Amino acid sequence: MSHAVNVPELFGSDVFNEAAMKQYLKPEIYSAWKRCVSTGSPLPLDVANEIAEAMKVWAISKGATHYTHWFQPMTGITAEKHDSFIAPVGDGRVVMEFSGKELVRGEPDASSFPSGGLRATFEARGYTAWDPTSFAFVKDDSLYIPTCFFSYTGAALDKKTPLLRSLDEISREALRILRLFGDTETKRVHVSVGPEQEYFLIPKSLYAQREDLRLTGRTLFGASAPKGQELDDHYFGTIRTRVSCFMKDLDEQLWKLGVLSKTKHNEAAPAQHELAPIYSEAGNACDANQLVMEIMKKCAAKHDLVCLLHEKPFAGVNGSGKHNNWSLCTDSGKNLFSPGKTPSQNAQFLVFLAAFLKGVDEYQDFLRCTVASPGNDQRLGASEAPPAIISVFLGDELTAIVDSVIHGNNYEDPAKSVMRIGVDVLPAIPKDTNDRNRTSPIAFTGNKFEFRMLGSSQSIAGPNIALNTIMAEELGKFSDVLEQAEDFDAALQKLVCDTFTAHKRIIFNGNSYSKEWEQEAARRGLSNLPSTVDALPQYISEKNIRLVTKHRIFSEQEFRARYEIHLESYSKIICIEAKTALDMALRQILPAALHYCRDLSDSIGKKQSIGLSCHVEKSLAERISAAADRLYDSCEALRKILDQMPEGAQAAAKWCHSVVLTQMDTIRESADLLEQLTDKSYWPYPVYSDLLFY
């Protein structure tokens, strides 16, 4: 029988959140921490010492013996080094100590993390600094302290530092707009994010037999199963008992850590599932999503399952993404992408909408680069994943309102006719007046934008840094115009009208999968960057460097470093996949096929000796032998291709994309044919029907 769970009592029980702080801290210390978080001011050392002591006492009460500065290096995952609380007292005994200095700063070895040239390998020193805006928590008998990670010279070596910078910047620029509309109460604008997480679950015993899954996260070989997702019977279907037990366990572990796990269901592909959280502030959402991915894997192992987060673990069925729901909210909880009921509120909504459309149009290449990866190349544009062409879905009603602003035409609504911004009342736009568009890369869904291009395994930091920064840029430009205007209403009307007119090309409400859209997008002048190799050079364009350095999100050196890391990572991943494919083809697939072919040949000889027909055996043996020859020749060709890898990160990435991957496809074609021809009892690893329909 399953145990009863008191969710309100369980939620956040392993988090040193505000409730725990109020219990363990003196009121004046809690107030000092609160001021630090709200104003960004430094935390005095005496306050840090008090917090550290309270945090230690709380953590020990939860069974913690160690602490770790938990950070997010540019690997895209998290990192941690654990130190115990123990300190010797001189007579063979120890006490448990934890100081403010240990809380605020750590010094892990930075030499083995990617830096993109920000420091040499022998320059090992790196620092972690406590992020007081993100709560500490206890997990696996350790106190986890969320931190930023930077080099000896102060350069950001992580994904969190630039995210926090972008959150400060967008708040500053959004407040300028709010002040123009008479809002003097709001002190900060928060970015609200809800990242939906798709994933696959397969049995651990089958996973262990697949070298490609173990080393690369995806199947490099595999003929399609007789049944896929054609019947749409898995999507939102009854959850298998084994999977349901995993989901229940996962929810409870996430709830203890304060992660707002809300929705769980079967996704479209067999063995595919999804978890969706309630929205939270972007920095916390980024931390939470890293925990979600980590705990999914650990929890799956407890249930003899393996969680696959690769964007395309199986060919021919849906890949996995991470839909990033993004919005702006004031510190009082008002959503800035919700139209209001007064002329001023409606005009304010249109300003934020116009800024978003302008930013996406002008920096579409930047957004595309933030989701570029080898895994996402396999996914984008196929089976419910958006294409590589960036566009924004607004729906018919909101698009009609945009058109009415551009042309000054009547908006067809029973309650209103001609609309002048700031003078007439914009008709209320209730949520869900439009159907959802599953093919759109970015869709307006009531009071937020859903950026649907993210890959399932990636950190959400990069895409949100881009969204925050481009929005800050456009809001800043709008403020520059409106703050100088003599006639605010007239300037506002012209600004929004001109912006909608200039950037309407980014709005598309149709089928983004169609060839017609690809042609139409080209006519509109939208960028089409189908692969990581196509996209990444745009990342360090002069325009994008100017954007991120202007807003102090990255230095130029930090920004170029990330480009180098992404480029090198691409080539390394493809090379690992190619070497794994060679190993499997030559040491597993070929021997199995040749063994079966030999037994067929023996059968042919025996049947011929007694005058029996052996048409089936001959036909199979001939086809297997021919496919095996092609497979071997293809493998030899791939060996030579890998030996010819050009020097230089960009040249190597292009070679991997255009030559290595093409040859891997050739190898797979022969291998998958051999799988279909070879007796299953000879085949060396589980096939798709085993993996997806366990």
Side-chain angles (χ1 to χ4, degrees):
M1 292 180 63
S2 61
H3 60 282
V5 177
N6 185 331
V7 177
E9 186 176 302
L10 180 72
F11 189 85
S13 57
D14 286 345
V15 183
F16 195 63
N17 51 25
E18 291 198 47
M21 287 184 183
K22 288 177 181 177
Q23 181 181 349
Y24 282 84
L25 293 176
K26 299 173 185 175
E28 61 271 22
I29 300 298
Y30 172 79
S31 298
W33 168 82
K34 195 75 173 173
R35 281 195 303 275
C36 165
V37 171
S38 60
T39 65
S41 57
L43 197 69
L45 184 58
D46 60 331
V47 173
N49 280 326
E50 292 270 4
I51 295 174
E53 178 62 23
M55 199 182 282
K56 180 201 72 177
V57 171
W58 170 83
I60 290 173
S61 75
K62 294 287 180 180
T65 57
H66 290 67
Y67 69 92
T68 178
H69 276 199
W70 185 63
F71 57 101
Q72 300 174 27
M74 290 185 285
T75 55
I77 56 177
T78 60
E80 54 200 59
K81 181 188 77 167
H82 298 253
D83 291 294
S84 71
F85 289 122
I86 66 169
V89 292
D91 58 355
R93 295 180 299 126
V94 297
V95 294
M96 304 291 264
E97 289 185 350
F98 184 53
S99 69
K101 183 179 178 182
E102 289 169 318
L103 166 63
V104 171
R105 197 180 85 163
E107 189 179 337
D109 186 339
S111 61
S112 296
F113 291 108
S115 72
L118 288 174
R119 31 146 290 278
T121 302
F122 61 83
E123 296 171 335
R125 199 178 294 277
Y127 299 98
T128 49
W130 177 37
D131 170 19
T133 67
S134 190
F135 296 130
F137 55 91
V138 167
K139 182 173 71 73
D140 301 329
D141 300 325
S142 283
L143 170 65
Y144 280 69
I145 303 161
T147 59
C148 298
F149 182 47
F150 53 93
S151 72
Y152 181 75
T153 61
L157 294 176
D158 67 342
K159 291 179 174 288
K160 188 167 196 179
T161 301
L163 176 62
L164 295 177
R165 292 170 181 168
S166 73
L167 295 174
D168 287 341
E169 190 69 358
I170 193 171
S171 177
R172 185 175 68 84
E173 296 295 358
L175 285 174
R176 290 177 67 191
I177 292 291
L178 294 182
R179 298 293 183 258
L180 289 167
F181 282 92
D183 181 344
T184 59
E185 300 297 321
T186 300
K187 298 296 186 292
R188 187 171 178 88
V189 172
H190 298 283
V191 177
S192 179
V193 171
E196 304 166 27
Q197 180 71 56
E198 295 174 345
Y199 60 98
F200 281 83
L201 288 175
I202 63 171
K204 189 192 297 184
S205 59
L206 302 183
Y207 169 87
Q209 299 174 57
R210 296 274 320 206
E211 183 182 355
D212 48 4
L213 283 175
R214 288 186 285 109
L215 297 185
T216 75
R218 74 177 179 107
T219 53
L220 301 174
F221 302 107
S224 296
K227 178 180 183 292
Q229 59 189 69
E230 305 92 336
L231 300 178
D232 301 321
D233 53 344
H234 189 258
Y235 190 53
F236 279 22
T238 302
I239 300 171
R240 303 180 225 197
T241 302
R242 187 175 180 183
V243 173
S244 182
C245 291
F246 156 81
M247 289 179 167
K248 182 178 187 298
D249 191 1
L250 175 65
D251 274 341
E252 291 178 14
Q253 291 190 53
L254 292 176
W255 288 338
K256 284 195 293 185
L257 294 170
V259 177
L260 293 160
S261 176
K262 175 73 172 176
T263 303
K264 56 186 180 184
H265 62 84
N266 288 347
E267 252 300 333
Q272 188 185 33
H273 314 279
E274 181 178 301
L275 177 151
I278 299 172
Y279 307 98
S280 59
E281 190 275 331
N284 292 324
C286 184
D287 287 354
N289 187 249
Q290 291 288 353
L291 281 173
V292 166
M293 292 190 288
E294 176 194 328
I295 293 174
M296 274 180 171
K297 292 181 178 182
K298 290 184 176 180
C299 187
K302 287 171 54 181
H303 295 266
D304 288 323
L305 297 166
V306 171
C307 175
L308 301 178
L309 293 175
H310 193 283
E311 286 73 21
K312 196 74 171 177
F314 304 103
V317 298
N318 271 23
S320 294
K322 182 151 28 195
H323 300 173
N324 188 85
N325 295 277
W326 182 92
S327 192
L328 298 176
C329 296
T330 67
D331 48 18
S332 62
K334 180 184 177 183
N335 189 312
L336 297 177
F337 283 113
S338 290
K341 298 180 180 180
T342 68
S344 175
Q345 290 171 339
N346 293 320
Q348 181 180 292
F349 163 74
L350 290 179
V351 167
F352 279 91
L353 176 64
F356 184 85
L357 293 176
K358 183 172 185 284
V360 172
D361 189 18
E362 291 181 344
Y363 295 97
Q364 51 190 282
D365 57 340
F366 186 19
L367 285 170
R368 170 67 183 92
C369 289
T370 65
V371 297
S373 71
N376 228 12
D377 283 355
Q378 302 282 335
R379 164 184 168 261
L380 290 178
S383 300
E384 287 220 0
I389 303 169
I390 300 279
S391 64
V392 179
F393 169 83
L394 291 184
D396 294 339
E397 185 168 7
L398 195 50
T399 302
I401 290 172
V402 169
D403 285 337
S404 72
V405 172
I406 293 172
H407 302 296
N409 297 335
N410 290 357
Y411 172 68
E412 297 298 329
D413 182 90
K416 287 301 295 180
S417 54
V418 178
M419 178 177 60
R420 283 194 62 221
I421 299 170
V423 179
D424 290 338
V425 180
L426 176 68
I429 306 173
K431 289 185 182 180
D432 304 327
T433 57
N434 302 291
D435 197 3
R436 297 182 70 189
N437 187 326
R438 302 293 294 175
T439 72
S440 179
I442 303 175
F444 184 75
T445 54
N447 59 1
K448 56 185 169 57
F449 284 94
E450 183 180 20
F451 188 21
R452 301 181 60 250
M453 296 179 75
L454 282 69
S456 52
S457 67
Q458 78 171 107
S459 164
I460 67 171
N464 283 293
I465 289 168
L467 288 169
N468 298 345
T469 307
I470 64 175
M471 192 67 177
E473 168 72 1
E474 305 306 347
L475 291 176
K477 287 182 176 179
F478 283 10
S479 295
D480 291 343
V481 172
L482 296 175
E483 286 169 353
Q484 303 300 319
E486 295 182 5
D487 184 338
F488 178 78
D489 283 349
L492 182 64
Q493 177 82 25
K494 183 177 188 307
L495 175 67
V496 175
C497 180
D498 289 350
T499 302
F500 284 157
T501 302
H503 300 284
K504 191 185 175 186
R505 67 172 185 168
I506 203 69
I507 302 171
F508 180 66
N509 296 330
N511 179 10
S512 297
Y513 288 164
S514 69
K515 283 292 182 185
E516 292 77 13
W517 166 235
E518 190 173 328
Q519 296 162 1
E520 170 64 19
R523 284 193 292 271
R524 294 187 186 190
L526 301 180
S527 65
N528 184 1
L529 304 168
S531 74
T532 297
V533 172
D534 296 316
L536 281 182
Q538 306 301 316
Y539 189 71
I540 52 169
S541 68
E542 183 181 341
K543 168 176 64 74
N544 292 337
I545 291 174
R546 188 166 57 247
L547 171 74
V548 297
T549 55
K550 171 186 173 182
H551 292 278
R552 302 177 301 280
I553 310 303
F554 298 101
S555 68
E556 182 171 347
Q557 187 184 23
E558 287 174 334
F559 198 57
R560 289 186 179 276
R562 280 149 179 81
Y563 163 73
E564 293 292 339
I565 289 168
H566 291 315
L567 207 56
E568 290 176 4
S569 175
Y570 178 87
S571 298
K572 289 175 182 177
I573 288 170
I574 300 302
C575 285
I576 290 170
E577 290 184 346
K579 291 173 184 177
T580 303
L582 283 174
D583 197 54
M584 291 179 69
L586 294 173
R587 297 179 62 229
Q588 290 184 293
I589 296 172
L590 266 178
L594 293 175
H595 185 187
Y596 181 49
C597 190
R598 184 191 64 201
D599 288 353
L600 284 173
S601 299
D602 290 346
S603 176
I604 291 169
K606 290 175 181 177
K607 290 180 75 173
Q608 284 179 332
S609 68
I610 57 175
L612 294 178
S613 169
C614 33
H615 169 71
V616 173
E617 290 90 338
K618 282 184 176 180
S619 178
L620 272 174
E622 287 172 359
R623 295 182 67 191
I624 289 171
S625 182
D629 287 346
R630 290 195 299 273
L631 178 61
Y632 179 78
D633 290 343
S634 298
C635 287
E636 288 304 298
L638 181 57
R639 281 189 193 277
K640 293 177 183 177
I641 286 169
L642 290 174
D643 289 340
Q644 296 166 1
M645 184 79 67
E647 294 183 2
Q650 190 165 2
K654 287 182 177 179
W655 182 261
C656 284
H657 174 68
S658 60
V659 183
V660 176
L661 283 175
T662 301
Q663 189 61 27
M664 286 174 62
D665 288 341
T666 302
I667 291 174
R668 180 168 188 159
E669 185 179 350
S670 298
D672 289 356
L673 176 59
L674 286 172
E675 179 188 313
Q676 294 171 308
L677 296 175
T678 303
D679 185 322
K680 187 173 182 178
S681 64
Y682 291 75
W683 203 245
Y685 50 73
V687 298
Y688 275 20
S689 56
D690 301 322
L691 294 165
L692 296 174
F693 298 96
Y694 57 90

